[in-house]
Amino acid sequence: MKDRFLSPLRWIGDQLFPAICPVCGEALAPGERTICLRCRWDMPLTDYWTGSDNPAAAMLRKRIPDLHQASALLYFRHESGYRAMIHSLKYGGRRDIAIALGEMFGSELRDSPFFDRADVLVPVPLHWSKRMQRGYNQAEEICAGLSSSMGIPCDFRALKRIRRTRTQALHRDSDARRRNVEGAFRLRCPDRLRGRHILLVDDVLTTGATVTACAAAIRTALPEAVISVATLAVVRGHTRE
Ligand SMILES: [Zn+2]
């Protein structure tokens, strides 16, 4: 009854305030969800999930010993609507974008021979104070989208950020970024992840300092852990393409 009453109101709301594509800023057409079809089609996809020695994996293997695999969905281009889209999901309260992109990414990873054995999704955690300020952790929302496409569970509480760090974007060089997050994470319940293939999930891969610090925390408690990394976007220059 409530829905029948609400739907005309929602229809009027959609006419007055149509949903906008976060990439191009155009109103979404009927049937389009979150990102318009043209921007989905034009998305600068990396196709990294089709090869085991892609640039993200090559960069991270220098930092994370025995890394199983790494991938990113799209290139982070500074002067583009796709950058604005990533910014909205991170700082603008647009959890729906993180979920939609996670679903897209998950359908690629599910069919990739390099990721089909992953069995738990672990997001890079925010410090509790930053999470409270932002209202959500975007990496958890990406995991939720990945999980619905890949059919594997998430463990949101596996890793804990034990100290608040400065935003990585404030640090330009790779050494400063590494020092900023080194020792900032701890694995809470190692037994829950023992023997499982862990897919670490974050929003943007730049120098890899954050996921490297998370992998180090996992390996401190579980030296034999099988770890892979999935991020929505990758900054091109850092992977030395
Ligand atoms: Zn668009």
Side-chain angles (χ1 to χ4, degrees):
M1 186 66 200
K2 201 176 167 194
D3 281 353
R4 281 173 63 192
F5 175 71
L6 277 178
S7 57
L9 288 181
R10 186 164 296 154
W11 184 85
I12 293 166
D14 286 349
Q15 306 311 305
L16 292 174
F17 307 105
I20 300 293
C21 170
V23 182
C24 65
E26 299 286 329
L28 294 180
E32 288 181 335
R33 192 173 65 92
T34 314
I35 303 161
C36 80
L37 284 177
R38 202 189 63 186
C39 292
R40 283 178 187 253
W41 183 257
D42 289 343
M43 200 170 282
L45 299 178
T46 65
D47 290 336
Y48 283 177
W49 50 89
T50 61
S52 67
D53 55 352
N54 67 69
M59 176 188 77
L60 287 174
R61 284 197 177 107
K62 292 179 190 153
R63 294 153 190 245
I64 304 174
D66 299 321
L67 175 77
H68 181 77
Q69 195 47 259
S71 190
L73 178 67
L74 70 147
Y75 293 110
F76 186 87
R77 289 186 181 151
H78 283 279
E79 304 303 324
S80 83
Y82 294 98
R83 177 192 178 279
M85 172 184 76
I86 298 289
H87 200 267
S88 300
L89 75 85
K90 199 164 174 164
Y91 305 109
R94 295 291 306 272
R95 307 157 79 130
D96 58 319
I97 302 174
I99 295 169
L101 290 172
E103 286 171 357
M104 270 181 80
F105 196 14
S107 60
E108 302 293 354
L109 296 184
R110 182 191 55 211
D111 298 334
S112 160
F114 309 109
F115 290 90
D116 59 352
R117 299 263 172 92
D119 43 28
V120 61
L121 300 159
V122 172
V124 169
L126 287 180
H127 189 260
W128 65 268
S129 58
K130 198 176 273 187
R131 193 206 159 92
M132 209 157 80
Q133 196 181 349
R134 198 174 289 178
Y136 64 101
N137 173 2
Q138 68 278 7
E140 289 180 6
E141 308 298 328
I142 299 164
C143 279
L146 285 167
S147 175
S148 72
S149 295
M150 298 176 79
I152 57 176
C154 308
D155 190 337
F156 290 167
R157 287 181 50 77
L159 279 172
K160 180 181 166 77
R161 198 180 278 245
I162 51 179
R163 65 178 167 82
R164 191 175 166 126
T165 54
R166 298 183 76 206
T167 299
Q168 284 290 68
L170 296 172
H171 298 281
R172 284 267 161 218
D173 75 277
S174 145
D175 271 354
R177 294 174 80 104
R178 183 181 50 75
R179 282 195 305 273
N180 187 41
V181 289
E182 211 165 50
F185 302 95
R186 186 170 61 77
L187 190 63
R188 267 197 179 107
C189 301
D191 285 339
R192 269 204 328 239
L193 296 183
R194 197 178 300 281
R196 306 180 79 182
H197 180 171
I198 301 161
L199 185 54
L200 257 177
V201 176
D202 203 4
D203 48 12
V204 181
L205 179 68
T206 306
T207 64
T210 306
V211 288
T212 300
C214 288
I218 294 170
R219 285 266 166 77
T220 300
L222 296 172
E224 307 297 323
V226 179
I227 301 174
S228 291
V229 171
T231 65
L232 274 189
V234 58
V235 180
R236 219 165 188 165
H238 289 278
T239 49
R240 301 279 180 268
E241 278 190 284

